[in-house]
Amino acid sequence: ISWLMGLWVPHHLKKTWGIAEVRFVGAERLQASVAAGHGIMLTPNHCRPCDPLMLAELRRQMGVAPTIMASAHLFRSRVMGWLLPRVGAFSMNREGMDRESLKMAASILTEAKRPLVIFPEGVITRTNDRVIHLQEGISFLARTAAKARAAQGGQLVIHPLAMRYEFLGDVEKSVTPV
């Protein structure tokens, strides 16, 4: 189903969110970490609801298929509950201590088969020019996974990602009718 999502995502991003182009700057650093076999944690800011779909472009453009830790409430609908696990997402209950999700995340990082995406802000911020406070569980998870990777002779690498959205059109022309 992931290959099908790869065909649908660019169209959906353009039609629904007005995103015409996705560029990855510094992608060679991520590719080097993948090639080295490191455990990889991707930590993007979270400024729009479509951010996880932007990460789906990693697979399409770079061949890197991340696993995404997502809020448990997203899995409540029948469709999303079926779809999300099939595209590489698993749930995290943000309301309490979700030990099973933390174990799964640590295992993903330790096994180093796929990068793990965690939105460290924990919420959609609606701004892409600053980062709000980061959730405490991220550093705990990183320390735990780094120790496990070191015991196996490997490394854990954290790649902070800055998602920026730019409007390239004429602002006055776009806003005036509204």
Side-chain angles (χ1 to χ4, degrees):
I1 199 158
S2 292
W3 66 269
L4 185 59
M5 289 294 289
L7 297 174
W8 174 78
V9 166
H11 170 73
H12 179 70
L13 285 173
K14 187 168 188 168
K15 182 180 177 194
T16 305
W17 298 99
I19 297 170
E21 178 187 359
V22 177
R23 286 182 294 139
F24 294 101
V25 178
E28 66 279 354
R29 294 180 186 143
L30 175 58
Q31 288 172 323
S33 293
V34 169
H38 297 317
I40 301 169
M41 182 187 291
L42 302 175
T43 57
N45 59 315
H46 199 359
C47 51
R48 294 182 75 188
C50 64
D51 292 340
L53 292 175
M54 298 292 287
L55 293 171
E57 282 289 286
L58 279 174
R59 178 181 204 123
R60 196 174 73 76
Q61 290 187 24
M62 298 174 40
V64 176
T67 299
I68 300 175
M69 180 185 279
S71 178
H73 80 276
L74 297 172
F75 290 78
R76 290 186 187 139
S77 86
R78 193 172 284 182
V79 172
M80 294 301 279
W82 178 85
L83 181 64
L84 289 172
R86 285 164 177 77
V87 296
F90 69 96
S91 72
M92 170 66 163
N93 182 359
R94 297 181 310 173
E95 304 304 318
M97 185 62 159
D98 189 345
R99 294 186 192 279
E100 289 304 311
S101 291
L102 288 174
K103 283 181 192 175
M104 178 178 273
S107 172
I108 290 166
L109 293 169
T110 303
E111 292 172 8
K113 292 179 182 170
R114 296 173 70 171
L116 175 65
V117 176
I118 300 177
F119 292 96
E121 295 167 300
V123 296
I124 298 170
T125 62
R126 306 281 183 205
T127 180
N128 68 6
D129 60 349
R130 67 179 188 278
V131 176
I132 64 170
H133 69 280
L134 306 180
Q135 299 296 312
E136 295 173 11
I138 304 302
S139 60
F140 169 78
L141 178 59
R143 285 191 313 269
T144 302
K147 286 178 189 174
R149 286 290 298 156
Q152 295 177 353
Q155 283 188 299
L156 173 70
V157 179
I158 300 173
H159 287 272
L161 303 179
M163 288 202 203
R164 298 295 305 247
Y165 295 89
E166 297 177 277
F167 180 73
L168 302 176
D170 181 350
V171 174
E172 190 171 320
K173 187 177 180 180
S174 297
V175 173
T176 301
V178 177

